């Protein structure tokens, strides 16, 4: 349907057509990045789930390959669900995934490449002894899914984690195995948090406290912390916490129990779910992929014939400056799509004003922006006990002394459509400044059958730092990163007027009493070459 084709993205990963959800089994093998994903080959809605497969040299340009696995056995006939890859030191590739059986029981299955000498790993074999794991006593048949990448212990055994729940307590179980065929449940749980419900797509990985590189999933020892992530089925958000994982006890414990998994930090405060990391041994980094669904109605998805995109892969590191969060940043390869740079240096914007940033095309962009609040206004600001919150405080239209200010994305000339991404600074009753980073979708589209939420969170700012944001705009998606990736917000928006050449970019300052100085760089982005599968290519 050409009517809706402007919503398709130019450089985000998506299949040619139909429904996609979770990222599955990402890995670097045979000189290629492999990416698998939950896919419905028949329709633009969830169902008939199989594994799509694509490969890339740089995580940006992709070649679609034939489906890697379809629902062809009793143990996955109701769906080849989410799973993860493990690379063994002898060169083997282990793929573990959840199957929904003929009776809709969730079981874990083993698969491996048919031919390890094929760098594209086109053909996959399911282990004849599947399933390798069924729900243990006390766990509901429908609450046992999404095995992680395995990590190796000094006892010569591998371990995997699987998400579940008991009553309303979200939990992760851990099994050990020597051959990926026989498993033993480790006593106790990896971790449990009451009230968080079913944990989908659990992820556990080490981060270095000192170095900038990523760590192999099996890495542990001094100078390392472990991030534990769960995707909460109840509210469809990805929550993480930083803590310590002990191989001896088999448990993970959060650094700060008040910010435990499911009650504290999120990877992203917008639309971002069922994410998964992998260790990229090619460039010694850890990379995060997240599923970004639609926020329009199901009938709109059916009409346009496709649903969902994947996030731009993000490099993940521990934030050494704050010590309390991770940093997420688009992989460096994305810069290869940048063309025609424009610089706007030290623009001063008074309270209540909007400045046009002249560009040729504002639908496909990479943007960096730095903001400074004038010093007098910072001194003047009174303490307010008003509890500001991105989602409940009236969005970009609600004015305070020191904000909101930021950018208006995908805006038409009359600005009846616009998506503001902004900072808001408030002084708490303790005299401390608090910075919020938000996205306001309330005027993002004239269409009325789409979600228009206002979301965001606080972002830590260290003394002496400027406020900074990075934004990737791609037709119907806006991925925003504040302070180097401490707080991230992904937004799906469906402008009807602000499309193609009619989309513009503006700088705004809606504070009541502060001047803002902004320095901005924008790059128009080329489209990524995401090629359909053709057998002629081989
Ligand atoms: C998360 C999820 C997983 C499951 C898969 C099915 O979005 O529900 O728990 O394995 O999707 O498609």
């Amino acid at each position: 349907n050409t009517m809706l084709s402007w919503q398709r993205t130019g450089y985000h990963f998506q299949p040619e057509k139909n429904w996609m959800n979770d990222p599955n089994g990402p890995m670097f093998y045979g000189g290629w990045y492999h990416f698998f994903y939950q896919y419905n080959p028949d329709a633009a809605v969830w169902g008939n789930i199989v594994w799509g497969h694509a490969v890339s040299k740089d995580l940006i340009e992709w070649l679609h390959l034939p489906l890697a696995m379809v629902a062809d056995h009793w143990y996955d006939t109701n769906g080849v669900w989410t799973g993860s890859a493990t690379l063994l030191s002898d060169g083997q590739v282990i793929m573990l995934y959840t199957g929904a059986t003929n009776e809709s029981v969730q079981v874990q299955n083993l698969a491996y490449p048919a031919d390890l000498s094929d760098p594209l790993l086109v053909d996959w074999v399911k282990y004849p002894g599947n399933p390798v794991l069924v729900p243990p006593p006390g766990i509901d048949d429908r609450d046992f899914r999404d095995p992680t990448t395995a990590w190796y212990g000094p006892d010569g055994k591998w371990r995997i984690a699987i998400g579940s729940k008991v009553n309303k307590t979200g939990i992760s179980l851990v099994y050990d195995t020597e051959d990926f065929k026989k498993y033993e449940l480790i006593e106790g749980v990896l971790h449990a948090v009451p009230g968080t419900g079913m944990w989908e797509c659990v992820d556990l990985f080490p981060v270095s406290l000192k170095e900038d590189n990523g760590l192999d999933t099996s890495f542990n020892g001094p100078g390392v912390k472990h991030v534990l992530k769960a995707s909460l089925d109840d509210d469809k958000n990805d929550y993480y916490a930083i803590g310590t994982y002990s191989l001896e006890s088999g448990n993970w414990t959060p650094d700060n129990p008040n910010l435990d998994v499911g009650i504290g930090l999120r990877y992203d405060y917008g639309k971002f779910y069922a994410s998964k990391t992998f260790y990229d041994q090619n460039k010694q980094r850890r990379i995060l992929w997240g599923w970004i669904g639609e926020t329009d109605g199901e009938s709109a998805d059916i009409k346009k014939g496709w649903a969902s995109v994947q996030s731009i892969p993000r490099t993940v590191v521990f934030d050494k400056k704050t010590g309390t969060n991770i940093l997420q940043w688009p992989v460096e390869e994305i810069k290869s799509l940048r063309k025609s740079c424009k610089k706007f240096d030290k623009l001063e914007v008074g309270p209540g004003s909007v400045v046009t940033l002249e560009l040729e095309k504002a639908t496909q962009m990479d943007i960096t922006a730095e903001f400074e609040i004038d010093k007098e206004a910072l001194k003047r600001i009174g303490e307010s006990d008003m509890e500001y919150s991105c989602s409940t405080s009236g969005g970009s239209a609600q004015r305070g002394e020191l904000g909101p200010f930021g950018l208006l994305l995908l805006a038409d000339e009359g600005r009846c459509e616009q998506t503001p991404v902004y900072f808001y600074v408030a002084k708490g009753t303790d005299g401390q400044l608090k910075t919020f980073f938000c996205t306001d979708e309330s005027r993002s589209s004239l269409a009325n059958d789409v979600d228009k939420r206002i979301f965001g969170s606080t972002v830590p700012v260290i003394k002496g730092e400027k406020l900074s944001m990075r934004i990737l705009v791609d037709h119907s998606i806006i991925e925003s990163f504040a302070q180097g990736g401490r707080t991230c917000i992904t937004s799906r928006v469906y402008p009807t007027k602000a499309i193609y050449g009619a989309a513009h970019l503006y700088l705004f300052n809606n504070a009541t009493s502060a001047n803002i100085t902004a320095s901005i760089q924008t790059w128009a982005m080329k489209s990524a070459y995401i090629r359909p599968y053709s057998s002629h290519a081989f």
Side-chain angles (χ1 to χ4, degrees):
N1 186 325
T2 50
M3 282 276 294
L4 295 164
S5 62
W6 70 81
Q7 294 172 1
R8 261 191 95 82
T9 60
Y11 61 93
H12 279 74
F13 180 84
Q14 44 179 154
E16 292 276 283
K17 58 179 181 184
N18 293 328
W19 167 274
M20 170 173 69
N21 55 295
D22 313 2
N24 290 159
M27 63 175 160
F28 183 78
Y29 182 87
W32 293 90
Y33 289 100
H34 288 258
F35 185 70
F36 305 85
Y37 53 91
Q38 295 280 282
Y39 184 56
N40 180 351
D42 305 320
V45 298
W46 187 86
N48 317 312
I49 294 292
V50 301
W51 275 37
H53 183 193
V55 288
S56 171
K57 285 281 179 188
D58 63 0
L59 295 162
I60 302 299
E61 316 230 273
W62 293 90
L63 173 63
H64 286 293
L65 292 178
L67 299 177
M69 294 194 280
V70 297
D72 52 7
H73 287 79
W74 69 267
Y75 54 74
D76 60 14
T77 190
N78 274 306
V80 186
W81 286 3
T82 282
S84 307
T86 303
L87 302 176
L88 308 190
S89 54
D90 64 1
Q92 282 188 73
V93 177
I94 295 292
M95 199 64 90
L96 289 170
Y97 71 92
T98 299
T101 71
N102 51 357
E103 291 176 338
S104 291
V105 177
Q106 293 169 11
V107 299
Q108 316 314 322
N109 300 315
L110 167 63
Y112 35 84
D115 176 9
L116 284 170
S117 71
D118 167 20
L120 299 182
L121 303 178
V122 171
D123 294 319
W124 289 79
V125 176
K126 293 176 185 172
Y127 170 56
N130 278 339
V132 293
L133 273 174
V134 300
I139 295 296
D140 195 276
D141 282 352
R142 289 161 197 239
D143 297 330
F144 184 60
R145 58 184 180 272
D146 311 334
T148 61
T149 294
W151 63 96
Y152 197 63
D155 55 0
K157 290 181 184 167
W158 292 92
R159 286 152 180 81
I160 57 161
I162 297 175
S164 187
K165 70 167 180 193
V166 172
N167 299 321
K168 291 217 158 68
T169 299
I171 65 169
S172 176
L173 303 169
V174 179
Y175 288 83
D176 66 28
T177 181
E178 280 168 79
D179 58 5
F180 293 95
K181 294 169 184 163
K182 287 188 290 311
Y183 295 79
E184 245 173 282
L185 180 60
I186 296 182
E187 224 180 288
V189 292
L190 176 67
H191 194 54
V193 182
T196 55
M198 176 65 195
W199 283 11
E200 299 187 312
C201 305
V202 167
D203 199 11
L204 176 71
F205 59 89
V207 285
S208 172
L209 302 183
K210 294 184 212 89
E211 283 149 36
D212 294 327
N213 57 292
L215 299 173
D216 180 272
T217 308
S218 297
F219 203 94
N220 204 347
V224 168
K225 279 189 190 286
H226 273 78
V227 173
L228 179 61
K229 184 275 292 188
S231 302
L232 298 203
D233 197 15
D234 289 355
D235 74 1
K236 292 281 182 280
N237 288 305
D238 279 11
Y239 287 85
Y240 79 96
I242 299 172
T244 305
Y245 169 66
S246 150
L247 273 160
E248 289 78 56
S249 70
N251 310 131
W252 174 93
T253 25
D255 283 355
N256 178 355
N258 298 320
L259 294 178
D260 207 339
V261 179
I263 59 172
L265 301 172
R266 278 167 54 180
Y267 276 170
D268 194 295
Y269 290 85
K271 186 79 179 168
F272 187 93
Y273 191 64
S275 64
K276 184 181 296 302
T277 63
F278 75 104
Y279 175 64
D280 170 15
Q281 74 277 22
N282 181 40
K283 288 199 171 183
Q284 286 87 50
R285 58 187 169 172
R286 182 157 291 271
I287 293 174
L288 172 73
W289 283 93
W291 162 40
I292 298 166
E294 303 296 318
T295 56
D296 59 356
E298 193 174 278
S299 60
D301 294 345
I302 292 168
K303 219 185 269 172
K304 65 186 193 242
W306 58 272
S308 305
V309 302
Q310 298 291 334
S311 67
I312 293 301
R314 302 173 180 179
T315 303
V316 172
V317 294
F318 178 72
D319 187 351
K320 284 172 274 185
K321 289 195 185 137
T322 62
T324 55
N325 55 273
I326 58 164
L327 297 171
Q328 302 168 59
W329 201 244
V331 291
E332 59 185 10
E333 287 90 336
I334 193 74
K335 290 186 188 161
S336 66
L337 297 177
R338 286 175 172 179
K339 53 178 189 184
S340 59
C341 176
K342 275 225 170 184
K343 275 189 193 175
F344 304 90
D345 209 27
K346 297 225 160 76
L347 299 177
E348 209 176 294
V349 238
S353 37
V354 175
V355 175
T356 309
L357 302 174
E358 292 293 347
L359 298 173
E360 257 163 55
K361 201 173 145 214
T363 45
Q364 255 177 248
M365 277 192 298
D366 188 353
I367 305 169
T368 60
E370 273 186 355
F371 301 88
E372 275 177 289
I373 304 174
D374 81 74
K375 299 226 162 53
E376 290 309 306
L378 273 174
K379 272 187 222 150
R380 256 192 333 259
I381 183 181
E383 292 183 7
S384 74
D385 51 11
M386 175 203 66
E387 265 302 302
Y388 187 84
S389 132
C390 293
S391 47
T392 59
S393 295
S396 58
Q398 178 173 320
R399 308 182 66 178
E401 279 176 271
L402 302 184
F405 55 85
L407 299 173
L408 306 178
L409 290 311
L410 295 175
D412 67 314
E413 211 158 4
R415 293 204 311 278
C416 28
E417 286 183 335
Q418 59 178 44
T419 304
V421 175
Y422 53 96
F423 288 110
Y424 185 100
V425 180
K427 195 183 226 173
T429 40
D430 58 0
Q432 296 293 315
L433 290 182
K434 221 174 165 184
T435 304
F436 297 83
F437 184 55
C438 326
T439 296
D440 180 350
E441 294 177 347
S442 58
R443 280 165 293 166
S444 60
S445 174
L446 291 176
N448 47 31
D449 55 348
V450 304
D451 286 356
K452 295 173 192 173
R453 297 187 294 166
I454 304 169
F455 35 46
S457 184
T458 53
V459 56
V461 179
I462 286 162
K463 219 179 152 72
E465 281 182 349
K466 288 180 185 164
L467 297 182
S468 64
M469 52 172 87
R470 167 103 181 260
I471 304 177
L472 299 173
V473 182
D474 193 2
H475 299 266
S476 60
I477 176 168
I478 301 172
E479 284 185 82
S480 307
F481 307 81
Q483 303 309 108
R486 287 185 191 134
T487 299
C488 311
I489 309 171
T490 297
S491 188
R492 294 300 308 277
V493 290
Y494 305 91
T496 61
K497 294 177 138 228
I499 60 175
Y500 301 124
H504 300 277
L505 175 67
Y506 299 91
L507 166 66
F508 81 101
N509 174 13
N510 212 13
T512 54
S513 71
N515 285 320
I516 304 294
T517 307
S519 291
I520 301 162
Q521 281 195 67
T522 67
W523 291 267
M525 295 291 269
K526 287 183 271 189
S527 290
Y529 206 35
I530 303 180
R531 283 201 298 163
Y533 173 67
S534 135
S535 50
H536 301 300
F538 310 106

